[in-house]
């Protein structure tokens, strides 16, 4: 079985957001998110993801979800939990 979690590049992310209603989740800390983030990204920290506190994602269940972080390690973990 293939994993639904895939590593994508910036171009693929842009296409998912612009053409497929993709939603960008930034799982960095609130302070890091405040310093700068992708336009329209939603800040849902790893703690909230692990706790299942995902209210802002309920209406996006059928949309592509793109998870980003500083280096990609926690984003992959967050994507696996979200799946």
């Amino acid at each position: 079985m293939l994993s639904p979690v895939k590593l994508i590049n910036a171009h693929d992310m842009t296409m998912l957001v612009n053409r497929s209603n993709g939603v960008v989740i930034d799982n960095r800390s609130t302070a890091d998110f405040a310093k700068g983030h992708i336009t329209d990204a939603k800040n849902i920290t790893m703690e909230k993801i692990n706790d299942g506190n995902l209210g802002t994602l309920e209406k996006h269940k059928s949309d592509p979800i793109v998870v980003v972080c500083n280096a990609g390690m926690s984003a992959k973990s967050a994507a696996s939990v979200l799946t």
Side-chain angles (χ1 to χ4, degrees), residues 9-78:
N9 60 34
H11 177 264
D12 293 338
M13 180 197 69
T14 301
M15 298 306 263
L16 284 171
V17 170
N18 291 339
R19 295 190 177 165
S20 302
N21 264 354
V23 178
V24 178
I25 302 302
D26 186 326
N27 74 328
R28 296 177 299 149
S29 70
T30 304
D32 285 344
F33 183 80
K35 291 177 187 173
H37 56 270
I38 296 169
T39 303
D40 296 329
K42 299 180 183 316
N43 183 221
I44 303 178
T45 62
M46 197 65 202
E47 181 181 9
K48 287 181 181 176
I49 291 170
N50 285 331
D51 289 346
N53 189 354
L54 308 171
T56 59
L57 285 180
E58 282 300 313
K59 63 184 175 189
H60 299 288
K61 283 183 177 181
S62 61
D63 299 327
I65 304 290
V66 179
V67 184
V68 298
C69 66
N70 281 335
M73 298 308 289
S74 65
K76 185 176 181 180
S77 174

